[in-house]
């Protein structure tokens, strides 16, 4: 069970219809790879975010599979076209079954 | 490449037709969140006469990408630590049930702390680093256990204290009762250690700007600490960094929290008097 997990998202508050905006996301997470051993030589079990998605008004913008080699606090920056006002919904899926969600509204104007 | 991040600079660049700002690194200026202006280059303090004319923040020696990470709090992974520190500040620790905020109200009221430490403490009769002072509060006022030197909690608190002081000039006192400790730190700075027989000055005063293998040697300024190092993806304390450097000379190192490193921290901090606090920073 990863502790101290906190998602963060940066989306502009408004855009012109049809604009391409830049979205930045970061989730604080240790991303334990499952390759390391503790002081007693036992393998520390893998615990990573394994999938990240972003949807806009229910339509998929990006869907990412994350693997164990991705480092601590995974950061994504990507672009999205904004055809209309609505909500960006971000979802991170943890190995331990936890799902972290964040929603940001964007207005047209 | 740096110019990508400021529109006005990009416009000027186009106007005068400069095509290749490839080596812009050391001339770039640091502005955090488009509002906090950071002094990363200034005249050296008087006590460095004959040693350095100009002091430069380590930020100037980093690559474009690393520099850019520090220009926006969202992109700066060190701010994760600072945010954790801000939460700790509000959290009650220890048997007295008090948080830092119960006495100090808010972090902004402590913005003078990071620029002036390490600092002589009259009551204790010693030079204290921020971590020693925090521990004094923890054990003396809050009834909590002392934190280990450079523990995660300590570094997070340091990062929080540093984040509210960004833009203020480093201004540690080196005269009066702190002078003795400062002299001791200076002696350590110029003493060669280890099998490689290297002093701090050999790299950071005589060879800054040169490459040491694949790394660009800085002046070893500590105005950016605690620093998020990309090599270990966490916050690093000043004295832990000293330890790494001394180890690299193939010497037996002092420990973080030792009198030697406290003196050295005071001396190295004083070499940066005049630069802005920019911690928590991002470094290699």
């Amino acid at each position: 069970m990863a502790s101290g997990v906190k998602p963060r998202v940066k989306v502009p508050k408004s855009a012109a219809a049809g604009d391409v905006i830049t979205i930045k996301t970061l989730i604080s997470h240790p991303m334990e790879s499952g390759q390391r051993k503790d002081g007693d030589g036992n393998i520390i079990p893998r615990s990573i975010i394994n999938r990240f998605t972003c949807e806009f008004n229910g339509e998929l913008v990006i869907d990412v599979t994350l693997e164990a080699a991705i480092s601590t606090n995974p950061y994504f920056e990507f672009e999205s076209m904004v055809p209309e006002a609505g909500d960006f919904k971000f979802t991170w899926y943890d190995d331990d079954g936890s799902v972290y969600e964040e929603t940001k509204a964007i207005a047209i104007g | 490449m740096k110019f990508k991040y400021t529109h006005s600079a990009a416009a000027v660049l186009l106007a005068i037709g400069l095509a290749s700002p490839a080596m812009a690194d050391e001339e770039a200026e640091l502005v955090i969140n488009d509002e906090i202006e950071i002094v990363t280059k200034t005249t050296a303090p008087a006590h460095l006469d004959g040693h350095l004319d100009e002091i430069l923040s380590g930020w100037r020696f980093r690559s474009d990408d690393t520099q850019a990470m520090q220009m926006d709090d969202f992109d700066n992974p060190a701010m994760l630590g600072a945010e954790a520190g801000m939460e700790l500040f509000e959290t009650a620790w220890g048997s007295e049930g008090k948080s830092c905020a119960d006495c100090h109200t808010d972090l902004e009221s402590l913005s003078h702390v990071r620029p002036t430490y390490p600092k002589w403490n009259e009551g204790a009769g010693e030079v204290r680093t921020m971590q020693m002072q925090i521990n004094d509060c923890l054990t003396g006022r809050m009834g909590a256990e002392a934190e280990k030197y450079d523990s995660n909690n300590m570094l997070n608190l340091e990062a929080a204290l540093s984040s509210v002081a960004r833009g203020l000039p480093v201004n540690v006192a080196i005269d009066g009762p702190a002078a003795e400790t400062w002299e001791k730190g200076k002696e350590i700075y110029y003493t060669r250690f280890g099998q490689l027989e290297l002093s701090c000055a050999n790299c950071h005063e005589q060879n800054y700007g040169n490459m040491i293998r694949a790394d660009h040697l800085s002046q070893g300024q500590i105005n950016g600490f605690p620093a998020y190092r990309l090599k270990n993806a966490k916050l690093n304390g000043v004295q832990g960094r000293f330890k790494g450097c001394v180890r690299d000379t193939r010497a037996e190192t002092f420990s973080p929290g030792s009198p030697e490193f406290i003196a050295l921290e005071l001396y190295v901090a004083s070499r940066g008097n005049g630069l802005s606090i920019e911690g928590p920073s991002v470094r290699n």
Side-chain angles (χ1 to χ4, degrees), chain A residues 6 8-10 24-26 28 73 75, chain B residues 72 74-75 77 79-80 83 87 228 233:
Chain A
K6 190 174 164 193
R8 294 163 175 79
V9 178
K10 195 172 183 181
K24 296 174 177 181
T25 76
L26 179 117
S28 50
N73 308 332
Y75 171 95
Chain B
D72 185 297
F74 193 90
D75 295 341
M79 289 308 289
L80 295 173
E83 281 173 30
E87 274 173 36
Y228 185 95

Side-chain angles (χ1 to χ4, degrees), chain B residues 145-226:
Chain B
E145 297 246 336
E147 282 284 320
K148 282 207 180 109
Y149 219 88
D150 281 354
S151 71
N152 282 341
N153 282 342
M154 269 301 184
L155 291 174
N156 289 345
L157 279 169
E158 265 196 347
L161 283 165
S162 191
S163 69
V164 294
R166 286 181 298 179
L168 299 175
V170 178
N171 185 23
V172 296
I174 63 174
D175 49 4
E180 192 187 335
T181 310
W182 182 79
E183 287 291 347
K184 185 174 155 194
K186 184 176 180 181
E187 190 190 325
I188 293 172
Y189 192 90
Y190 286 103
T191 302
R192 290 171 181 265
F193 286 95
Q195 291 177 323
L196 297 182
E197 296 190 10
L198 288 170
S199 73
C200 308
N202 290 147
C203 288
H204 296 293
E205 184 173 299
Q206 296 162 0
N207 279 296
Y208 69 88
N210 292 335
M211 301 300 282
I212 182 164
R213 300 183 68 179
D215 201 7
H216 199 194
L217 269 176
S218 75
Q219 284 187 346
Q221 297 287 358
I222 58 174
N223 59 315
F225 277 85

